């Protein structure tokens, strides 16, 4: 790990969004050190790539143990930096990171092992291939403030186990969590220069990443910023993996367990003050159970304890992370109410004061003409609509350019799985929502404006590699049939070979063998 410190460097101030208290300062990385960071990363990666998967795993075990031993401190720092509750920080950030150390450490060798492939046709009878997954080189990661530890750390682990060097840029709102990641990596005792954390302007850092030739960029954030980075990456043909927006629907069927559905909606919609790209943003409920569901969810919304997170875990919903995001949420809600929506229930908590608080809010009377139902809200607002038929529910759920996650709630799992085929989404859960981001063994990401590529799971590991095919011929012929000199006899043999691949009958196949083999043997070996 590299830390770059200059006495006169500018600093970034970290503030607790729930209280306004200053948490500390982090030194910005001087821009004149960027070139050195990328140069050292590339040098260190060449050495790291030669280590076996077992050797790389030993470093992850040390990181895992550090996370285990400092779980409480990490949860508190994340909570204070982001505004989420201690429980949210522990269960959605710290625990997934420890689990990720285990899974990637144990499974990377198998996932990224070379794959032997035999001939795909009789025409390639002598050919053999091996598909290899080689390290990319230097991977850039730009991460968000809503999950400042678990999002970048999982990608760091995938990159390291695949044999890459990592250059990380965390969100400006949570710089101290970036420094905590440095501490975790330091506990892993990686080679110098293999991991670096740059603190600075997002635009300047991303530009530096492309200018200094990173081999791939992993970005998590907004759709507009993702599009800007993709355009910037096009100038150098740098591949990107983008995890962007979510406007995730929840469909409640008439046979659903309404108690579970209401409990699940409350958690997946209000958790992290609604600042989860994979959280519930829209709910569609069968009209026959609509009133009952709204009553249940309203009860759960009203009793939520809303306030400043604390070590006693006496708060269910904390503050939002930034003032701008809170204003976005307030604007969407106000527009919906002006257009006829009704606020059914809200949690009670402190006034704004020094914190970026917004109450958990349940809204009915909404429709798809409202911004609240079309654009990502990223806040603790839950709009609910009734539907008459399942076809209507599917149509409403799919009426969005974003398709990160979705959920279907029903007692009939088989029916839920069948409906999942018709719902757009990178993840469609049955009777649950959001939690799969913590599962290291399954991919995360979605189509459309939810992004490009996948992280997590075998798919995420392979995103951290470049594919190479090594091909050879065990027949050891002097020449291939189609090599020079070309003549009519070779041409006719290849024409007959088409019947070997797609014979009209068994007799046609046998005739083709008789016509092709003698020419092949004569032309290739004599």
């Amino acid at each position: 790990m590299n830390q770059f410190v200059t006495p006169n460097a500018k600093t970034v101030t970290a503030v607790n969004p729930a209280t306004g208290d200053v948490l500390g300062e982090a030194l910005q990385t001087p821009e004149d050190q960027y070139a050195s960071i990328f140069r050292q990363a590339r040098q260190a990666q060449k050495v790291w790539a030669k280590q076996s998967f077992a050797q790389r795993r030993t470093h992850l075990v040390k990181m895992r143990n550090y996370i285990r031993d400092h779980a409480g401190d990490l949860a508190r720092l994340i909570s204070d930096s982001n505004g989420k509750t201690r429980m949210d920080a522990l269960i959605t950030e710290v625990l997934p990171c420890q689990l990720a150390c285990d899974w990637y450490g144990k499974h990377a060798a198998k996932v990224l092992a070379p794959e032997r492939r035999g001939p795909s046709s009789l025409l390639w009878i002598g050919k053999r291939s091996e598909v290899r997954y080689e390290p990319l080189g230097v991977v850039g990661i730009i991460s968000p403030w809503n999950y400042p530890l678990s999002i970048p750390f999982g990608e760091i682990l995938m990159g390291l186990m695949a044999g890459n060097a990592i250059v990380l840029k965390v969100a400006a709102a949570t710089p101290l969590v970036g420094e905590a990641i440095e501490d975790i990596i330091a506990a892993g005792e990686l080679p110098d220069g293999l991991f670096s954390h740059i603190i600075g302007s997002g635009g300047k850092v991303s530009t530096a990443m492309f200018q200094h030739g990173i081999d791939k960029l992993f970005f998590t954030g907004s759709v507009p910023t993702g599009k800007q980075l993709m355009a910037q990456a096009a100038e150098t043909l740098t591949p990107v993996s983008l995890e962007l927006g979510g406007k995730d629907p929840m469909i409640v069927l008439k046979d659903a367990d309404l108690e579970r559905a209401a409990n699940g909606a409350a958690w997946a919609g209000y958790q992290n003050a609604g600042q989860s790209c994979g959280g519930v943003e829209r709910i569609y409920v069968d009209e026959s159970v609509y009133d009952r569901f709204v009553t249940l969810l309203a009860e759960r919304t009203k009793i939520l304890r809303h306030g400043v997170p604390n070590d006693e875990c006496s708060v269910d919903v904390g503050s939002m992370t930034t003032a701008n995001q809170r204003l976005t949420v307030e604007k969407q809600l106000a527009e919906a109410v002006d257009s006829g929506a009704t606020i059914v229930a809200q949690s009670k908590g402190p006034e704004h004061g020094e914190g970026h608080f917004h109450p958990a809010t349940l809204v009915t009377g909404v429709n798809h003409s409202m911004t609240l139902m079309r654009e990502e809200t990223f806040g603790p607002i839950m709009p609910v609509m009734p539907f008459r038929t399942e076809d209507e529910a599917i149509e409403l759920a799919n009426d969005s350019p974003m398709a990160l996650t979705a959920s279907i709630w029903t007692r009939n799992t088989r029916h839920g799985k069948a409906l999942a085929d018709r719902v757009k989404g990178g993840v469609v859960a049955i009777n649950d929502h959001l939690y799969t981001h913590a599962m290291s063994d399954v991919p995360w990401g979605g189509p459309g404006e939810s992004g490009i590529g996948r992280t997590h799971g075998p798919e995420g590991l392979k995103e951290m590699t470049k594919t190479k095919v090594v091909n050879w011929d065990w027949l050891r012929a002097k020449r291939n049939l189609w090599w020079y000199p070309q003549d009519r006899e070779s041409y006719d043999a290849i024409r007959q070979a088409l019947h070997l691949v797609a014979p009209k009958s068994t007799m046609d196949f046998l005739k083709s063998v008789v016509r092709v083999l003698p020419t092949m043997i004569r032309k290739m070996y004599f």
Side-chain angles (χ1 to χ4, degrees), residues 417-433:
K417 289 180 179 180
L419 286 181
D421 291 337
R422 302 170 59 194
V423 176
K424 294 192 301 184
V427 176
V428 180
I430 312 297
N431 295 325
D432 215 324
H433 202 110

PDB file of all heavy atoms in Angstrom, residues 417-433:
ATOM      1  N   LYS A 417     -41.119 -17.602  -9.589  1.00  0.00           N
ATOM      2  CA  LYS A 417     -40.001 -17.817 -10.507  1.00  0.00           C
ATOM      3  C   LYS A 417     -40.430 -17.626 -11.955  1.00  0.00           C
ATOM      4  O   LYS A 417     -39.685 -17.076 -12.778  1.00  0.00           O
ATOM      5  CB  LYS A 417     -39.426 -19.212 -10.316  1.00  0.00           C
ATOM      6  CG  LYS A 417     -38.663 -19.413  -9.009  1.00  0.00           C
ATOM      7  CD  LYS A 417     -38.134 -20.842  -8.928  1.00  0.00           C
ATOM      8  CE  LYS A 417     -37.349 -21.070  -7.655  1.00  0.00           C
ATOM      9  NZ  LYS A 417     -36.831 -22.467  -7.569  1.00  0.00           N
ATOM     10  N   ALA A 418     -41.639 -18.083 -12.275  1.00  0.00           N
ATOM     11  CA  ALA A 418     -42.141 -17.924 -13.635  1.00  0.00           C
ATOM     12  C   ALA A 418     -42.329 -16.447 -13.974  1.00  0.00           C
ATOM     13  O   ALA A 418     -41.971 -15.994 -15.074  1.00  0.00           O
ATOM     14  CB  ALA A 418     -43.458 -18.680 -13.805  1.00  0.00           C
ATOM     15  N   LEU A 419     -42.870 -15.675 -13.039  1.00  0.00           N
ATOM     16  CA  LEU A 419     -43.040 -14.248 -13.271  1.00  0.00           C
ATOM     17  C   LEU A 419     -41.688 -13.539 -13.375  1.00  0.00           C
ATOM     18  O   LEU A 419     -41.550 -12.543 -14.100  1.00  0.00           O
ATOM     19  CB  LEU A 419     -43.866 -13.617 -12.151  1.00  0.00           C
ATOM     20  CG  LEU A 419     -45.366 -13.901 -12.138  1.00  0.00           C
ATOM     21  CD1 LEU A 419     -46.025 -13.175 -10.974  1.00  0.00           C
ATOM     22  CD2 LEU A 419     -46.018 -13.489 -13.458  1.00  0.00           C
ATOM     23  N   ALA A 420     -40.684 -14.055 -12.658  1.00  0.00           N
ATOM     24  CA  ALA A 420     -39.354 -13.438 -12.697  1.00  0.00           C
ATOM     25  C   ALA A 420     -38.782 -13.433 -14.105  1.00  0.00           C
ATOM     26  O   ALA A 420     -37.986 -12.555 -14.451  1.00  0.00           O
ATOM     27  CB  ALA A 420     -38.407 -14.168 -11.742  1.00  0.00           C
ATOM     28  N   ASP A 421     -39.197 -14.400 -14.930  1.00  0.00           N
ATOM     29  CA  ASP A 421     -38.737 -14.422 -16.322  1.00  0.00           C
ATOM     30  C   ASP A 421     -39.211 -13.195 -17.095  1.00  0.00           C
ATOM     31  O   ASP A 421     -38.601 -12.811 -18.098  1.00  0.00           O
ATOM     32  CB  ASP A 421     -39.248 -15.680 -17.035  1.00  0.00           C
ATOM     33  CG  ASP A 421     -38.596 -16.951 -16.521  1.00  0.00           C
ATOM     34  OD1 ASP A 421     -37.485 -16.856 -15.958  1.00  0.00           O
ATOM     35  OD2 ASP A 421     -39.187 -18.033 -16.695  1.00  0.00           O
ATOM     36  N   ARG A 422     -40.283 -12.590 -16.631  1.00  0.00           N
ATOM     37  CA  ARG A 422     -40.883 -11.472 -17.370  1.00  0.00           C
ATOM     38  C   ARG A 422     -40.510 -10.107 -16.800  1.00  0.00           C
ATOM     39  O   ARG A 422     -40.840  -9.071 -17.388  1.00  0.00           O
ATOM     40  CB  ARG A 422     -42.414 -11.630 -17.363  1.00  0.00           C
ATOM     41  CG  ARG A 422     -42.896 -12.934 -17.972  1.00  0.00           C
ATOM     42  CD  ARG A 422     -44.394 -13.139 -17.719  1.00  0.00           C
ATOM     43  NE  ARG A 422     -45.182 -12.043 -18.277  1.00  0.00           N
ATOM     44  CZ  ARG A 422     -46.458 -11.822 -17.985  1.00  0.00           C
ATOM     45  NH1 ARG A 422     -47.096 -12.617 -17.133  1.00  0.00           N
ATOM     46  NH2 ARG A 422     -47.107 -10.800 -18.524  1.00  0.00           N
ATOM     47  N   VAL A 423     -39.825 -10.099 -15.670  1.00  0.00           N
ATOM     48  CA  VAL A 423     -39.460  -8.844 -15.017  1.00  0.00           C
ATOM     49  C   VAL A 423     -38.024  -8.477 -15.378  1.00  0.00           C
ATOM     50  O   VAL A 423     -37.111  -9.293 -15.242  1.00  0.00           O
ATOM     51  CB  VAL A 423     -39.600  -8.948 -13.489  1.00  0.00           C
ATOM     52  CG1 VAL A 423     -39.113  -7.666 -12.815  1.00  0.00           C
ATOM     53  CG2 VAL A 423     -41.052  -9.211 -13.105  1.00  0.00           C
ATOM     54  N   LYS A 424     -37.824  -7.251 -15.833  1.00  0.00           N
ATOM     55  CA  LYS A 424     -36.474  -6.789 -16.130  1.00  0.00           C
ATOM     56  C   LYS A 424     -35.704  -6.611 -14.826  1.00  0.00           C
ATOM     57  O   LYS A 424     -36.226  -6.087 -13.849  1.00  0.00           O
ATOM     58  CB  LYS A 424     -36.513  -5.458 -16.878  1.00  0.00           C
ATOM     59  CG  LYS A 424     -37.107  -5.524 -18.269  1.00  0.00           C
ATOM     60  CD  LYS A 424     -36.836  -4.247 -19.042  1.00  0.00           C
ATOM     61  CE  LYS A 424     -37.391  -3.014 -18.371  1.00  0.00           C
ATOM     62  NZ  LYS A 424     -37.200  -1.783 -19.192  1.00  0.00           N
ATOM     63  N   GLY A 425     -34.433  -7.034 -14.831  1.00  0.00           N
ATOM     64  CA  GLY A 425     -33.623  -6.830 -13.640  1.00  0.00           C
ATOM     65  C   GLY A 425     -32.398  -7.707 -13.625  1.00  0.00           C
ATOM     66  O   GLY A 425     -32.421  -8.827 -14.133  1.00  0.00           O
ATOM     67  N   GLY A 426     -31.318  -7.190 -13.058  1.00  0.00           N
ATOM     68  CA  GLY A 426     -30.135  -8.009 -12.872  1.00  0.00           C
ATOM     69  C   GLY A 426     -30.336  -9.027 -11.773  1.00  0.00           C
ATOM     70  O   GLY A 426     -29.750 -10.109 -11.782  1.00  0.00           O
ATOM     71  N   VAL A 427     -31.174  -8.692 -10.793  1.00  0.00           N
ATOM     72  CA  VAL A 427     -31.550  -9.595  -9.706  1.00  0.00           C
ATOM     73  C   VAL A 427     -33.056  -9.501  -9.523  1.00  0.00           C
ATOM     74  O   VAL A 427     -33.601  -8.392  -9.423  1.00  0.00           O
ATOM     75  CB  VAL A 427     -30.858  -9.220  -8.372  1.00  0.00           C
ATOM     76  CG1 VAL A 427     -31.351 -10.124  -7.247  1.00  0.00           C
ATOM     77  CG2 VAL A 427     -29.339  -9.302  -8.496  1.00  0.00           C
ATOM     78  N   VAL A 428     -33.734 -10.628  -9.507  1.00  0.00           N
ATOM     79  CA  VAL A 428     -35.157 -10.666  -9.149  1.00  0.00           C
ATOM     80  C   VAL A 428     -35.293 -11.641  -7.988  1.00  0.00           C
ATOM     81  O   VAL A 428     -35.060 -12.839  -8.132  1.00  0.00           O
ATOM     82  CB  VAL A 428     -36.043 -11.115 -10.329  1.00  0.00           C
ATOM     83  CG1 VAL A 428     -37.515 -11.128  -9.885  1.00  0.00           C
ATOM     84  CG2 VAL A 428     -35.864 -10.190 -11.532  1.00  0.00           C
ATOM     85  N   ALA A 429     -35.631 -11.127  -6.824  1.00  0.00           N
ATOM     86  CA  ALA A 429     -35.737 -11.945  -5.612  1.00  0.00           C
ATOM     87  C   ALA A 429     -37.199 -12.323  -5.366  1.00  0.00           C
ATOM     88  O   ALA A 429     -38.116 -11.572  -5.715  1.00  0.00           O
ATOM     89  CB  ALA A 429     -35.188 -11.188  -4.411  1.00  0.00           C
ATOM     90  N   ILE A 430     -37.379 -13.479  -4.769  1.00  0.00           N
ATOM     91  CA  ILE A 430     -38.715 -13.931  -4.385  1.00  0.00           C
ATOM     92  C   ILE A 430     -38.840 -13.807  -2.867  1.00  0.00           C
ATOM     93  O   ILE A 430     -38.076 -14.406  -2.125  1.00  0.00           O
ATOM     94  CB  ILE A 430     -38.971 -15.402  -4.808  1.00  0.00           C
ATOM     95  CG1 ILE A 430     -38.565 -15.636  -6.269  1.00  0.00           C
ATOM     96  CG2 ILE A 430     -40.423 -15.775  -4.570  1.00  0.00           C
ATOM     97  CD1 ILE A 430     -39.344 -14.848  -7.271  1.00  0.00           C
ATOM     98  N   ASN A 431     -39.788 -12.988  -2.423  1.00  0.00           N
ATOM     99  CA  ASN A 431     -40.067 -12.799  -0.995  1.00  0.00           C
ATOM    100  C   ASN A 431     -38.894 -12.219  -0.214  1.00  0.00           C
ATOM    101  O   ASN A 431     -38.715 -12.489   0.978  1.00  0.00           O
ATOM    102  CB  ASN A 431     -40.523 -14.116  -0.355  1.00  0.00           C
ATOM    103  CG  ASN A 431     -41.844 -14.590  -0.924  1.00  0.00           C
ATOM    104  OD1 ASN A 431     -42.717 -13.788  -1.258  1.00  0.00           O
ATOM    105  ND2 ASN A 431     -41.997 -15.898  -1.070  1.00  0.00           N
ATOM    106  N   ASP A 432     -38.070 -11.415  -0.875  1.00  0.00           N
ATOM    107  CA  ASP A 432     -36.986 -10.696  -0.201  1.00  0.00           C
ATOM    108  C   ASP A 432     -36.513  -9.616  -1.160  1.00  0.00           C
ATOM    109  O   ASP A 432     -36.944  -9.564  -2.321  1.00  0.00           O
ATOM    110  CB  ASP A 432     -35.840 -11.634   0.179  1.00  0.00           C
ATOM    111  CG  ASP A 432     -35.185 -11.216   1.497  1.00  0.00           C
ATOM    112  OD1 ASP A 432     -35.089  -9.993   1.745  1.00  0.00           O
ATOM    113  OD2 ASP A 432     -34.773 -12.096   2.282  1.00  0.00           O
ATOM    114  N   HIS A 433     -35.605  -8.770  -0.695  1.00  0.00           N
ATOM    115  CA  HIS A 433     -35.141  -7.692  -1.556  1.00  0.00           C
ATOM    116  C   HIS A 433     -33.812  -7.157  -1.024  1.00  0.00           C
ATOM    117  O   HIS A 433     -33.590  -7.136   0.186  1.00  0.00           O
ATOM    118  CB  HIS A 433     -36.176  -6.555  -1.592  1.00  0.00           C
ATOM    119  CG  HIS A 433     -36.066  -5.672  -2.795  1.00  0.00           C
ATOM    120  ND1 HIS A 433     -37.005  -5.657  -3.800  1.00  0.00           N
ATOM    121  CD2 HIS A 433     -35.117  -4.787  -3.183  1.00  0.00           C
ATOM    122  CE1 HIS A 433     -36.648  -4.792  -4.736  1.00  0.00           C
ATOM    123  NE2 HIS A 433     -35.489  -4.252  -4.372  1.00  0.00           N
TER     124      HIS A 433
END
